[in-house]
Amino acid sequence: MPVPWFLLSLALGRSPMVLSLEKLMGPQDTARCSPGLSCHLWDGDVLCLPGSIVSAPGPVLVPTRLQTELVLRCHQETDCDLCVRVAIHLAVHGHWKEPKDEAKFGRAADPELEEPVNAFLQAQVVLSFQAYPTARCVLLEVQVPAALVQPGQSVGSVVFDCFEAALGAEVRLWSYTQPRYQKELNLTQQLPDCKGLEVRDSIQSCWALPWLSVSADGDDVHLVLDVSEEQHFGLSLYWNQIQGPTKPWWHKNLTGPRNITLNHTDLFPCLCIQDSYSFFMAPFKCHLLLEAFPYSSNCLFILLWKVWPLEPDSVRTSICPFREDPRAHRNLWRAARLRLLPPRGWQLNAPCSLLAEATLCWQAPGGGPCQSLVPPLSWANVTVNKTLELPLLNAHPNLCVQVSSWEKLQLQQCLWADSLGALKDDMLLVETRGPQDNRSLCALEPSGCTPLLSRASTRAARLGEELLQDLQSGQCLQLWEDDLRALWACPMDKYVHQRWALVWLACLLLASVLFLLFLFKKDHVKGWLRLLKEDLRAGAARARAALLLYSAEDSGFERLVGALASALCQLPLRVAVDLWSRRELSAQGPLAWFHAQRRQTLQEGGVVVLLFSPGAVALCHEWLQDGASASAPHGPHDAFAASLSCVLPDFLQGRAPGRYVGAYFDGLLHSEAVPALFRSVPVFSLPSQLPDFLGTLQGPGAPRPGRLGQRAKQVSRALQPALDQVLKAPGNPGGPGDGTRDGT
């Protein structure tokens, strides 16, 4: 992440304070050292070739810290460019070695030559600079007197003036020695623009400073360029990769004001906005409206906007406002791809570097989380688009690579599934080595690492001795090892086969016993088979559905219907009634709910039960006399009133037999009260005709009459208390003061 210059990123726009810079006159690069050191800057730039790390032959000078400062390089008092001054702090690395012989120590045989060699330490320090589109490398020779050499102590610093850079650019610095004795130092920083520097009178490009603003509105991205009609400028988008060269993406030469729209999926955390302009052209404004976008997933890259006039001396500034946006980082992870390359390579593909942790894990078959393993892979700044080597001795399909960021799993890929096949039911053994050849073994299971030969009730503990024998006999595959630990994969196929062999043997033994029982108890077995046949027939009836329709008279009648529905559920019937679906009824409406239930019931071969009551009969008469004028339901949940528009056509057109059944309760209604139209289907009085009613509901799969009678008694016992309460209620037919009873 770029380091802000003196927290200018926080100061810009919030404080009127600006930074005044030192001026350097002349175009030449220079170098100077702290007291006690001598240094020399090579003429011209050199190739940036770090090379590999080598061992130090003795004390050597190495860079330990990079420090930067902004200055102005001026050709005239009012003609300056922004420049980066770099200070390299040096220290002594390594110790003097006692020479075994003169040749090995590197001294000449002539004593007169020893003193010049030992008088000082000398180092060649390379300083590399990159700021798009410029890249430079300079070489500094530094010498320190031997008297000042103290291993591990700082000896001073060398200052280089200076690297020219554009306002608002992002710069990267590296420093190392030739030959290289340690990892190179690196530093990335974001330069300020004209708004944060006291340079308006010195840098001519700041005289006509364009203003950039970022705002949010909608999903699209609008780039609004407010310039004069005659102004010519270029607009370019490119991906500024941290690793590797930049990649152009889009470029156009434009004229006059523009409003350019981009899809929000093209935006990423490292999106930068760069504008360029000529100091002698008329002032213009450049506004960027980057609107509220859930950052999408394509690939992780640095996308920069460049806007500049087409004059050759245009100057460019840039900002990168989305580095910390969490939505943009989600886009980056959606764009990243994890690839595993045989024989033992892996690669994380993304156009920019990612701050991530990569680990090995063991994925057992049958699902479950992938369990982390040693050895760990490289952590922090995983190198993208570069093949890395897995520290394994052998590959295994259960080994997977996980990539996580901020303790959240982002990517997982198991090793070469195409070439190694599916996951295996192998047991992973973790070996821990101690002093004096002591070692301990445990088996990795979902519950943790179970020690072998333990008394735990796990598969590894039960097979501990066998797994130990397999390991000693060389049947396990070694996956990885170091001085303290090792990983082994032991196949479990033979133990699984042994288990299934025992299961098959038990099944054969059971079949033999059953066959002998059949021979000796033939008559009993026949009776048992008859019972089994009846149960199977009853099981077929379980699938039949019944939809109960009734008119909601009062709460007592609803309790009676609920008792009937509950009793029918104890039989092999699936009952639907609006009492149990009030939420769906309120959401869909009575008519829509009835349509859906009726269609499902009839498609499954079920039956619709019409429960007639005085209120239901009255509704039927209204429909038969007045038609649709009576279609309004009597209550918010009265499915019966809503259903008449569909039920009556079935009866009028002769489609009701086999699909509908009628019923009424003893004492609440006379059989003659049921409208004649509905007598085209069976109409039963409950509970007096319960056996016939249940037989009709269960259809062809109904049990024999004896069992059917028992079920009718069970339903009657459940129904009678609710029916008695309804009959005793005042105002009901058959209740107190009413002598009406059904004579059937």
Side-chain angles (χ1 to χ4, degrees):
M1 174 182 174
V3 178
W5 290 88
F6 307 106
L7 301 179
L8 276 174
S9 61
L10 299 178
L12 294 181
R14 299 186 183 179
S15 170
M17 295 180 60
V18 292
L19 183 65
S20 180
L21 303 181
E22 177 186 347
K23 292 183 179 181
L24 304 177
M25 303 304 295
Q28 295 83 12
D29 295 336
T30 60
R32 65 181 186 275
C33 302
S34 58
L37 301 182
S38 61
C39 55
H40 169 69
L41 173 64
W42 279 36
D43 295 334
D45 291 353
V46 298
L47 292 177
C48 300
L49 299 174
S52 58
I53 298 177
V54 299
S55 300
V60 292
L61 287 179
V62 293
T64 58
R65 183 164 61 95
L66 293 177
Q67 190 173 3
T68 57
E69 180 184 357
L70 286 182
V71 296
L72 294 177
R73 170 168 284 172
C74 300
H75 308 283
Q76 297 178 7
E77 187 66 25
T78 58
D79 183 9
C80 303
D81 295 310
L82 193 63
C83 211
V84 180
R85 171 184 289 167
V86 183
I88 308 171
H89 296 264
L90 302 170
V92 178
H93 174 73
H95 301 272
W96 294 109
K97 295 182 179 179
E98 292 295 334
K100 294 184 180 179
D101 54 72
E102 293 178 348
K104 186 171 183 180
F105 191 64
R107 297 186 182 182
D110 189 352
E112 295 180 357
L113 301 177
E114 294 182 6
E115 181 62 22
V117 174
N118 291 327
F120 56 84
L121 287 180
Q122 178 175 318
Q124 290 186 337
V125 180
V126 177
L127 183 58
S128 174
F129 172 85
Q130 181 180 346
Y132 182 85
T134 303
R136 294 186 59 194
C137 278
V138 297
L139 181 62
L140 301 162
E141 285 190 355
V142 185
Q143 294 180 349
V144 58
L148 299 179
V149 173
Q150 295 293 333
Q153 297 293 322
S154 174
V155 296
S157 62
V158 56
V159 178
F160 171 77
D161 284 327
C162 58
F163 294 114
E164 294 185 15
L167 291 163
E170 181 180 89
V171 300
R172 301 185 184 92
L173 296 165
W174 292 268
S175 182
Y176 51 89
T177 59
Q178 287 185 343
R180 189 159 63 99
Y181 301 116
Q182 64 181 19
K183 185 177 180 181
E184 64 267 17
L185 298 179
N186 65 82
L187 180 65
T188 302
Q189 292 190 330
Q190 182 74 41
L191 301 186
D193 56 19
C194 296
K195 297 189 294 292
L197 300 171
E198 194 175 289
V199 294
R200 294 181 184 272
D201 297 332
S202 302
I203 300 180
Q204 296 181 6
S205 59
C206 291
W207 297 354
L209 177 67
W211 193 264
L212 292 163
S213 63
V214 178
S215 60
D217 180 22
D219 288 341
D220 291 332
V221 179
H222 304 285
L223 176 62
V224 180
L225 303 172
D226 185 10
V227 299
S228 63
E229 294 288 345
E230 300 80 12
Q231 179 63 54
H232 300 275
F233 61 92
L235 179 65
S236 178
L237 286 75
Y238 66 91
W239 302 336
N240 189 11
Q241 297 177 321
I242 293 178
Q243 296 156 350
T246 59
K247 291 184 178 180
W249 180 43
W250 186 84
H251 172 81
K252 277 188 179 181
N253 294 329
L254 304 171
T255 303
R258 293 282 177 168
N259 190 333
I260 299 172
T261 302
L262 294 179
N263 194 297
H264 66 86
T265 58
D266 295 328
L267 304 178
F268 293 87
C270 28
L271 169 66
C272 298
I273 309 159
Q274 187 179 78
D275 68 311
S276 302
Y277 46 92
S278 178
F279 64 86
F280 57 81
M281 66 184 221
F284 64 89
K285 288 186 177 180
C286 178
H287 300 282
L288 181 66
L289 303 176
L290 285 153
E291 319 289 3
F293 36 104
Y295 291 64
S296 180
S297 60
N298 278 344
C299 56
L300 175 59
F301 55 79
I302 300 181
L303 177 65
L304 288 94
W305 296 79
K306 301 192 300 177
V307 184
W308 68 94
L310 301 181
E311 287 79 2
D313 56 353
S314 61
V315 179
R316 306 166 189 179
T317 62
S318 63
I319 59 172
C320 303
F322 306 108
R323 299 180 186 277
E324 306 300 328
D325 196 302
R327 297 168 297 179
H329 284 275
R330 286 196 293 269
N331 264 5
L332 298 179
W333 279 111
R334 294 188 186 114
R337 295 293 180 269
L338 178 61
R339 298 174 56 207
L340 299 177
L341 308 172
R344 287 182 294 274
W346 70 285
Q347 189 178 91
L348 181 61
N349 290 333
C352 281
S353 64
L354 291 169
L355 185 63
E357 179 183 18
T359 56
L360 276 175
C361 63
W362 179 265
Q363 181 65 66
C370 196
Q371 296 173 280
S372 298
L373 299 175
V374 291
L377 304 181
S378 58
W379 154 248
N381 289 326
V382 174
T383 305
V384 299
N385 303 327
K386 179 181 178 181
T387 301
L388 304 174
E389 194 75 14
L390 291 171
L392 297 173
L393 300 176
N394 294 285
H396 193 282
N398 292 29
L399 287 174
C400 305
V401 175
Q402 288 182 336
V403 178
S404 305
S405 176
W406 303 107
E407 299 183 354
K408 179 181 178 182
L409 177 63
Q410 301 287 358
L411 300 170
Q412 177 176 319
Q413 187 71 31
C414 292
L415 297 190
W416 321 294
D418 295 337
S419 58
L420 296 181
L423 300 177
K424 295 183 179 180
D425 189 21
D426 290 358
M427 184 68 68
L428 185 72
L429 302 184
V430 180
E431 177 184 354
T432 303
R433 298 167 180 172
Q436 300 179 354
D437 295 332
N438 292 328
R439 67 174 186 171
S440 61
L441 289 166
C442 65
L444 191 65
E445 295 186 291
S447 58
C449 207
T450 305
L452 296 185
L453 307 179
S454 69
R455 296 182 179 180
S457 59
T458 64
R459 182 172 69 158
R462 291 192 298 269
L463 299 175
E465 294 184 0
E466 290 83 352
L467 291 172
L468 189 58
Q469 293 175 2
D470 292 345
L471 181 62
Q472 294 172 348
S473 62
Q475 299 183 38
C476 299
L477 178 68
Q478 188 175 27
L479 304 180
W480 169 82
E481 72 168 343
D482 63 7
D483 295 336
L484 300 177
R485 293 161 296 183
L487 298 178
W488 304 83
C490 298
M492 301 291 289
D493 295 343
K494 59 181 179 181
Y495 303 113
V496 175
H497 294 160
Q498 291 176 2
R499 182 178 62 187
W500 280 109
L502 293 175
V503 172
W504 281 111
L505 183 61
C507 291
L508 290 175
L509 182 61
L510 180 60
S512 301
V513 171
L514 292 176
F515 181 72
L516 292 175
L517 288 175
F518 179 76
L519 292 179
F520 290 105
K521 302 288 185 179
K522 187 182 301 184
D523 295 336
H524 292 82
V525 171
K526 287 182 178 180
W528 178 78
L529 290 177
R530 283 195 300 270
L531 293 175
L532 180 62
K533 183 177 180 181
E534 291 182 1
D535 289 340
L536 290 176
R537 292 179 60 193
R542 290 190 189 99
R544 197 164 199 206
L547 173 62
L548 302 186
L549 294 179
Y550 69 98
S551 177
E553 304 282 322
D554 51 34
S555 59
F557 189 77
E558 285 189 341
R559 284 194 296 270
L560 177 60
V561 174
L564 175 62
S566 300
L568 294 179
C569 285
Q570 305 302 318
L571 309 178
L573 288 171
R574 290 186 294 106
V575 180
V577 63
D578 65 349
L579 281 172
W580 300 340
S581 305
R582 288 292 169 84
R583 181 178 298 177
E584 293 84 352
L585 202 64
S586 299
Q588 302 175 16
L591 186 59
W593 179 86
F594 168 73
H595 270 293
Q597 295 296 327
R598 172 182 171 275
R599 182 174 61 254
Q600 180 180 353
T601 300
L602 297 181
Q603 285 177 352
E604 295 175 358
V607 63
V608 179
V609 181
L610 302 176
L611 292 177
F612 290 101
S613 64
V617 170
L619 284 174
C620 292
H621 284 304
E622 290 179 12
W623 263 94
L624 293 174
Q625 292 173 5
D626 302 329
S629 63
S631 61
H634 287 195
H637 308 302
D638 200 337
F640 186 87
S643 66
L644 289 178
S645 60
C646 295
V647 171
L648 288 177
D650 287 344
F651 280 89
L652 292 172
Q653 297 173 15
R655 298 195 303 265
R659 307 167 76 181
Y660 291 84
V661 171
Y664 60 92
F665 293 101
D666 295 337
L668 291 182
L669 195 71
H670 291 284
S671 59
E672 293 82 2
V674 177
L677 178 64
F678 297 98
R679 297 179 191 172
S680 59
V681 300
V683 179
F684 301 98
S685 177
L686 305 181
S688 58
Q689 295 179 342
L690 265 175
D692 297 335
F693 176 68
L694 298 181
T696 302
L697 289 185
Q698 295 184 259
R704 65 181 186 272
R707 179 169 293 187
L708 196 62
Q710 295 176 357
R711 293 178 177 176
K713 291 180 181 178
Q714 296 174 0
V715 175
S716 180
R717 285 195 296 269
L719 195 63
Q720 196 62 48
L723 180 59
D724 291 341
Q725 289 183 2
V726 173
L727 293 176
K728 292 176 183 179
N732 284 328
D738 194 317
T740 306
R741 294 284 292 186
D742 184 15
T744 59

